[in-house]
Amino acid sequence: MEFRDIQSFIDVANHNSFTKAAEYSYLSQPSLSKAVKKLEAELHVELIERSTRHLRLTDAGQIVYQQGKKLIETLEEMKMLLDELSNLATGEIKMGVPPLIGTLFFPSIARMFHQNYPNVKLELIELGAKVIEQLVEEGEIDIGIVVLPVDESVFHIHPFITEEFVLFIHRDHPIAQKQTVSVHELKDEPFILFSKNFKLHDYIINTSVALH
């Protein structure tokens, strides 16, 4: 018994006509008739009453029609499930995130990621941006969130947020009342900086050196 013969019989039954079924399935009427007769021979029953003017299923034909539809639905569902399985994302992704960014952005990133990829484990590694950059380059982690700039010839870069630098000073400082402060005005000021593992450390130091 072949699947295509069952499908041909169901098409004929659905349209109550070999002619209409042939138009729907793009098969010739002789091919459909041959498929139905082959199915009858294999099952040792008559599926269609040939003594009537209009196409009518026998009792056996009704059973084969109903069970055949269930079979086709089951096969189609199996194919769909196998397709989903082959396209299902699974595994683990290691993401490097600086502590501050991890606190501000990672919860929402993790939530959206889990909604889209529930079978992928997302492992958070909190380190400074310079270390993250090195680990991505060495293949120790899969992706990292860092502060630009980085070497675009080495990494695939996808900017996702832009923030302004904010100066945090004592309220009695001479420039505390200013709305904006240029980097040039800070060239002689002492700073409390991130450690050398953080990208912002190098950025501020290099900017200060350039001003001098």
Side-chain angles (χ1 to χ4, degrees), residues 5-23:
D5 293 335
I6 298 174
Q7 183 65 66
S8 294
F9 168 67
I10 290 174
D11 289 341
V12 171
N14 283 338
H15 292 86
N16 291 314
S17 166
F18 280 93
T19 303
K20 292 180 180 179
E23 294 174 356

Side-chain angles (χ1 to χ4, degrees), residues 137-203:
E137 184 174 4
E138 294 173 353
E140 295 296 323
I141 60 178
D142 303 295
I143 188 172
I145 298 178
V146 299
V147 178
L148 296 178
V150 295
D151 189 350
E152 296 189 22
S153 66
V154 176
F155 303 100
H156 296 290
I157 301 170
H158 302 279
F160 74 98
I161 192 169
T162 301
E163 290 285 350
E164 295 181 344
F165 279 113
V166 177
L167 178 65
F168 188 77
I169 57 177
H170 192 274
R171 62 185 179 183
D172 295 330
H173 193 283
I175 62 174
Q177 304 304 316
K178 301 187 68 173
Q179 294 296 317
T180 59
V181 179
S182 68
V183 177
H184 182 78
E185 294 177 85
L186 304 174
K187 64 179 183 179
D188 297 319
E189 298 290 337
F191 281 87
I192 300 175
L193 298 177
F194 289 101
S195 72
K196 293 181 180 180
N197 291 331
F198 289 80
K199 198 79 174 182
L200 284 175
H201 176 277
D202 287 359
Y203 181 84

Side-chain angles (χ1 to χ4, degrees), residues 111-130:
R111 182 172 60 253
M112 289 186 292
F113 185 88
H114 181 71
Q115 289 173 351
N116 289 285
Y117 306 99
N119 295 294
V120 179
K121 179 183 177 183
L122 189 60
E123 181 181 346
L124 175 65
I125 299 174
E126 290 189 292
L127 293 167
K130 286 176 63 178

Side-chain angles (χ1 to χ4, degrees), residues 69-79:
K69 286 202 303 181
K70 292 180 181 179
L71 176 61
I72 290 173
E73 289 172 358
T74 300
L75 291 173
E76 289 176 347
E77 183 181 7
M78 180 178 67
K79 183 179 182 301

Side-chain angles (χ1 to χ4, degrees), residues 9 12-13 16 47-49 55-62 65:
F9 168 67
V12 171
N16 291 314
L47 301 176
I48 296 174
E49 291 185 6
L55 190 145
R56 180 187 298 175
L57 300 183
T58 63
D59 290 342
Q62 290 286 354
Y65 175 72

